[in-house]
Amino acid sequence: MKYIKIPHAFVLIYAIIILAMVMSYIIPAGEYERYENENGTLVVDETSFQYTEQTPVHWTEIFRSVPEGMTDAAGIIFLIFIIGGAFGMINGTGAIEAGINKVVSLLKDREVILIPLTMLIFSFGGATFGMAESTLIFIPMGIMLARSLGMDAMTGMAMVALGAAAGFSGGFMNIFTVGVAQQIAELPLFSGMFYRIIVQLVFVLIAAFFVYRYGRRVQKDMNNSYVYGLERTAQNETYEFKELTMRHILVLLITFSGFGLIIYGVVQGWSTGTDLAAIFLAMGIISGLVGGNSPNGIAEDFIRGAKEVTFGALIVGLARCILLILEDGTIIDTIIFSISTILEGLPASVAAVGMFLTQFMINFFIPSGSGQAATTIPLLAPIGDIVGVSRQSVVLAFQMGDGLANYLFPTSAILMAGLSIANIPYEKWLRFVWPIMLVWVIAGGAFMVISLWINYGPF
């Protein structure tokens, strides 16, 4: 049986660029008037739409738009590279791995505390530095821990992966997703973080309940394991816990202090993208020196960290090309007008939940969070202006939809790599994860409705 091969995200986005060019000849041109609100952000005047003269985009623009898009998104792209490099320097000290290992090893025989606490720790990794590829390091440890408790590989994989996913979906300080989306939506960087922390904690509690319940069932009878065959053939695998040294402790203190400074800056309103990059860069360099790495080693760690985020950084620039083509063809407002006309007849809460579910499904095709933000936020933010959904709620819809779907769809490279490491077939994972995902999606819809009730903002 032949399976349909999903196109690479770059291929898919470039196909959308070509489609946008073609549509500039077909879709009537139109424009809204825009004005500055009290926060100095350009928003759409929903009563001002009018059709204008057609300005079709020449086919050569599908090539010119790529360097133009990269240039237009340069600020975000280089911010991603710098922060990715900074975390490369921090990770190069081994402090994060040693710190997590120390905590879980201390609680190895207390699964009632261990499972939710481990998932909470990984959730803060997902919520701050966008822990994704880094989770792969810890999957063998999670599996070893689960087996030492009489549980199985599925439990160990879920402790690590779903913990990070819960935090990624809240993402209160995730520059790679929330940071990118908020800059595109012209929101203050990391504004609204306290509500997203609540989202994160609720998602952790939901996942921890299901994982612990499943683990206890397996603990009582291994026949209840979804990967029983794997457990029967599994060898006595061991995982070497890294010793937590004084250097590691100092690096962790520097990292936590840096995050504290960022939170303070957000509250004070001075944490711009430049401030943020500077703080992360300082955190990385100081951590590398304190961690005992040589200047050359620190530089190599920076390059390694920046390399890991190259895909997401470049896809931001590529996705920006779509917006440039739609703007040059003067059809983006026509698309917004058409969609908003459909949504205007619906309650704002229905439109908000619809945005969340749309983002969830888009993740199947564009698994990169930063790429998805760059593709969808330019369209959904002005639609939100028109139908009464705040831009902060639009970003929340994107963040939850992207974060949750990362551990459901087989197009997610991180999910498939993790399952490969754990030797868990995708269909077994799907059987395990779908009830959790269903409750997560229901909770996400509820959070979208609540965000409207509380006028989640600042706008």
Side-chain angles (χ1 to χ4, degrees):
M1 180 180 176
K2 292 185 178 180
Y3 293 90
I4 298 174
K5 186 176 177 68
I6 301 296
H8 190 282
F10 281 17
V11 175
L12 184 64
I13 290 178
Y14 205 77
I16 297 173
I17 292 171
I18 296 172
L19 178 63
M21 182 272 295
V22 173
M23 288 298 102
S24 71
Y25 289 85
I26 300 170
I27 297 175
E31 282 185 318
Y32 280 106
E33 291 181 10
R34 286 167 169 78
Y35 64 93
E36 284 193 4
N37 63 10
E38 61 275 12
N39 299 293
T41 301
L42 281 177
V43 296
V44 171
D45 178 356
E46 65 272 19
T47 64
S48 65
F49 179 80
Q50 58 183 358
Y51 291 104
T52 61
E53 183 180 350
Q54 203 77 11
T55 56
V57 176
H58 194 268
W59 66 270
T60 56
E61 290 302 311
I62 65 173
F63 304 109
R64 288 175 52 84
S65 68
V66 174
E68 289 176 352
M70 295 290 177
T71 302
D72 200 46
I76 301 175
I77 291 172
F78 283 106
L79 181 62
I80 292 172
F81 275 129
I82 290 172
I83 293 177
F87 275 111
M89 292 186 281
I90 296 169
N91 286 332
T93 67
I96 293 176
E97 186 177 352
I100 291 175
N101 287 344
K102 183 66 175 179
V103 172
V104 296
S105 64
L106 289 173
L107 298 172
K108 193 168 72 171
D109 299 319
R110 303 176 184 175
E111 61 267 29
V112 177
I113 302 172
L114 176 64
I115 290 178
L117 184 59
T118 300
M119 297 183 76
L120 182 65
I121 291 170
F122 281 106
S123 80
F124 278 102
T128 52
F129 59 92
M131 194 176 209
E133 290 87 353
S134 305
T135 59
L136 303 178
I137 301 170
F138 296 99
I139 286 173
M141 178 205 72
I143 292 172
M144 184 279 296
L145 263 174
R147 285 174 175 161
S148 72
L149 298 171
M151 299 177 186
D152 64 356
M154 187 73 79
T155 309
M157 167 81 179
M159 286 165 58
V160 176
L162 296 185
F168 202 93
S169 301
F172 69 93
M173 283 180 60
N174 186 344
I175 186 61
F176 305 111
T177 52
V178 167
V180 171
Q182 287 187 328
Q183 288 188 67
I184 294 171
E186 300 184 71
L187 287 161
L189 193 60
F190 296 141
S191 55
M193 69 162 59
F194 296 111
Y195 187 66
R196 290 198 301 277
I197 290 174
I198 295 172
V199 171
Q200 170 190 341
L201 295 178
V202 170
F203 283 164
V204 170
L205 286 174
I206 291 170
F209 169 78
F210 279 96
V211 173
Y212 177 74
R213 189 180 66 167
Y214 169 83
R216 286 289 291 167
R217 270 203 326 266
V218 173
Q219 199 177 44
K220 291 176 182 177
D221 185 355
M222 187 56 70
N223 288 308
N224 291 324
S225 171
Y226 291 168
V227 288
Y228 177 67
L230 172 63
E231 296 307 311
R232 286 189 60 186
T233 58
Q235 299 175 347
N236 294 325
E237 300 174 0
T238 59
Y239 182 90
E240 183 180 349
F241 288 98
K242 286 195 174 183
E243 181 183 355
L244 184 67
T245 65
M246 180 54 67
R247 284 185 181 275
H248 289 149
I249 293 172
L250 291 174
V251 169
L252 292 174
L253 287 174
I254 291 166
T255 303
F256 291 142
S257 299
F259 280 122
L261 182 60
I262 291 168
I263 292 172
Y264 173 80
V266 170
V267 172
Q268 294 298 314
W270 54 258
S271 186
T272 64
T274 302
D275 295 327
L276 186 69
I279 294 170
F280 270 110
L281 190 59
M283 282 167 54
I285 294 172
I286 296 170
S287 294
L289 293 172
V290 171
N293 291 341
S294 67
N296 283 349
I298 293 171
E300 290 170 359
D301 288 334
F302 180 90
I303 293 170
R304 190 177 300 113
K307 188 187 297 182
E308 289 180 356
V309 299
T310 298
F311 174 80
L314 292 180
I315 207 171
V316 168
L318 192 60
R320 182 62 64 92
C321 303
I322 302 171
L323 177 63
L324 295 180
I325 295 288
L326 295 176
E327 287 179 342
D328 289 346
T330 327
I331 60 172
I332 187 170
D333 283 0
T334 306
I335 295 171
I336 291 168
F337 174 73
S338 302
I339 296 174
S340 62
T341 299
I342 297 171
L343 295 178
E344 274 184 312
L346 301 174
S349 57
V350 175
V353 174
M355 288 181 179
F356 162 55
L357 295 177
T358 298
Q359 295 284 8
F360 186 89
M361 296 308 301
I362 287 174
N363 187 268
F364 181 88
F365 303 100
I366 309 176
S368 165
S370 49
Q372 188 174 331
T375 304
T376 61
I377 296 298
L379 194 62
L380 291 182
I383 290 174
D385 295 341
I386 295 169
V387 300
V389 177
S390 73
R391 293 195 174 192
Q392 196 71 270
S393 292
V394 170
V395 171
L396 179 67
F398 148 73
Q399 180 64 22
M400 292 192 300
D402 168 63
L404 299 182
N406 280 333
Y407 286 91
L408 176 66
F409 295 135
T411 49
S412 169
I414 301 303
L415 170 61
M416 301 313 289
L419 292 177
S420 176
I421 291 171
N423 287 320
I424 297 173
Y426 174 73
E427 61 271 17
K428 300 287 187 183
W429 173 258
L430 187 61
R431 179 187 176 192
F432 168 79
V433 83
W434 80 261
I436 303 173
M437 201 62 63
L438 178 62
V439 178
W440 267 355
V441 168
I442 293 170
F447 279 123
M448 289 304 302
V449 174
I450 293 170
S451 74
L452 298 184
W453 291 348
I454 64 173
N455 294 317
Y456 188 37
F459 53 86

